[in-house]
Amino acid sequence: MDRGDNGLTVRKIRSGTVIDHIPAGRALKVLRILGVEPEQGYTIAVLMNVESRKIGRKDIVKISGLEPKVEDFHKISLVAPTATINIVRDYEVVRKEKVKPPEKVEGILKCINPTCITRQPREVATPTFRLVSRNPLVYQCIYCGSLLEEKEILEQLA
Ligand code: CTP
Ligand code: ZN
């Protein structure tokens, strides 16, 4: 059982994914990024604002029956840089991975500079960013040099 949750314990899952150590308040962003909806048949548990020894307060998302794709790991890292993704099979954690915001992000984020080449209607330049800082999270557009900060990244992926 997860401790520190004031009795709101959520049972272990048999198979699926547990995304742990999500910064408090961002669980729903993680679910949105994964594109999972209860209508698809998944059983989903969301614990918000749980006490954590590692990061103060955290959110936890458990999705029974889903194993995320590799691209999803990168997207999750942009809204939840502290997250750990646990893949569970037969009640055992078979894979545990701490997400890491990638050095290069292609096609997920949008440049904030309206005159950037990536924002021009007839251009085919894919928005591409390089990592400047992980904490706080900052990316830079490789075309115009504009900085994209954590707040903007969160808004874009909301
Ligand atoms: N979990 C689950 N169902 C399982 C196995 C694990 O819901 N069948 C959950 C645990 O409750 C925990 C997370 O998956 O929230 C990671 O499990 P585990 O690695 O066993 O816990 P810790 O060692 O505490 O993880 P960490 O070191 O990453 O904090
Ligand atoms: Zn740009």
Side-chain angles (χ1 to χ4, degrees), residues 59 135 142:
D59 288 359
N135 192 12
I142 65 160

Side-chain angles (χ1 to χ4, degrees), residues 2 12-13 18 20-21 54 62 86 88 91 93 96:
D2 298 297
K12 300 261 182 218
I13 59 171
V18 177
D20 197 358
H21 308 297
K54 286 181 194 165
K62 298 191 185 197
N86 299 277
V88 176
Y91 291 102
V93 175
K96 181 188 285 286

Side-chain angles (χ1 to χ4, degrees), residues 18-38:
V18 177
I19 307 167
D20 197 358
H21 308 297
I22 300 169
R26 298 195 191 167
L28 297 179
K29 284 187 193 293
V30 169
L31 276 177
R32 200 163 303 136
I33 277 176
L34 288 171
V36 287
E37 320 245 344

Side-chain angles (χ1 to χ4, degrees), residues 22 65 75 78 83 95-96 100 105 115 124 133 135 143 157:
I22 300 169
K75 288 192 198 163
L78 298 176
R95 187 170 164 208
K96 181 188 285 286
K100 197 171 168 202
V105 173
T115 66
V124 286
S133 155
N135 192 12
Y143 295 99
L157 297 174

Side-chain angles (χ1 to χ4, degrees), residues 111 113 116 118 141 143-146:
C111 187
N113 167 15
C116 178
T118 60
C141 173
Y143 295 99
C144 73
S146 293

Side-chain angles (χ1 to χ4, degrees), residues 1-3 10-21 47 52-54 58 60-63 84-97:
M1 293 283 183
D2 298 297
R3 288 172 298 275
V10 173
R11 266 182 295 157
K12 300 261 182 218
I13 59 171
R14 187 155 79 92
S15 64
T17 303
V18 177
I19 307 167
D20 197 358
H21 308 297
L47 274 169
S52 153
R53 266 169 293 127
K54 286 181 194 165
K58 67 172 181 180
I60 306 171
V61 169
K62 298 191 185 197
I63 309 156
T84 307
I85 300 178
N86 299 277
I87 308 294
V88 176
R89 290 186 196 145
D90 243 337
Y91 291 102
E92 297 291 329
V93 175
V94 294
R95 187 170 164 208
K96 181 188 285 286
E97 228 166 288

Side-chain angles (χ1 to χ4, degrees), residues 113-145:
N113 167 15
T115 66
C116 178
I117 188 165
T118 60
R119 300 267 308 261
Q120 305 319 305
R122 270 183 289 278
E123 288 293 342
V124 286
T126 305
T128 306
F129 295 83
R130 66 169 194 88
L131 183 70
V132 175
S133 155
R134 281 209 169 89
N135 192 12
L137 197 57
V138 182
Y139 278 94
Q140 183 171 39
C141 173
I142 65 160
Y143 295 99
C144 73

